[in-house]
């Protein structure tokens, strides 16, 4: 997966640096993987990500845990 994470790290993050809890590449990666696995709603994305946190952590930084439903929707509202 290094190619995917290298690609995701190229995106600029519009969030204020001092307010970032979850790295942009982690949010994008978990969202892409969730949707590719059949998730269709924010709730399903969060549930899939919580279930697969250990696997996700092999590829991206999930040390802050899985963002809440609210944090995820706020992120995509900003982005």
């Amino acid at each position: 997966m290094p190619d995917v994470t290298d690609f995701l790290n190229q995106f600029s993050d519009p969030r204020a640096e001092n307010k970032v809890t979850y790295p942009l590449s982690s949010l994008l990666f978990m969202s892409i993987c969730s949707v590719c696995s059949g998730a269709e709603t924010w709730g399903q994305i969060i549930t899939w990500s919580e279930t697969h946190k250990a696997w996700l952590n092999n590829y991206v930084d999930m040390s802050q845990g899985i963002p809440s439903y609210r944090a995820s929707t706020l992120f995509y509202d900003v982005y």
Side-chain angles (χ1 to χ4, degrees):
M1 289 288 177
D3 293 331
V4 173
T5 55
D6 289 343
F7 174 73
L8 294 176
N9 284 324
Q10 294 178 19
F11 288 92
S12 61
D13 194 339
R15 301 173 294 169
E17 194 171 314
N18 63 337
K19 295 183 180 183
V20 172
T21 301
Y22 306 101
L24 177 63
S25 59
S26 299
L27 293 170
L28 293 173
F29 187 77
M30 72 171 224
S31 299
I32 291 166
C33 291
S34 300
V35 170
C36 288
S37 296
E40 296 180 348
T41 66
W42 292 115
Q44 290 174 345
I45 289 172
I46 300 307
T47 300
W48 187 93
S49 298
E50 288 171 344
T51 303
H52 296 87
K53 181 182 174 191
W55 181 83
L56 289 167
N57 207 41
N58 289 321
Y59 303 103
V60 292
D61 179 13
M62 300 305 291
S63 61
Q64 295 297 320
I66 303 299
S68 67
Y69 175 88
R70 179 79 174 132
S72 296
T73 58
L74 282 174
F75 165 73
Y76 281 105
D77 284 346
V78 168
Y79 206 81

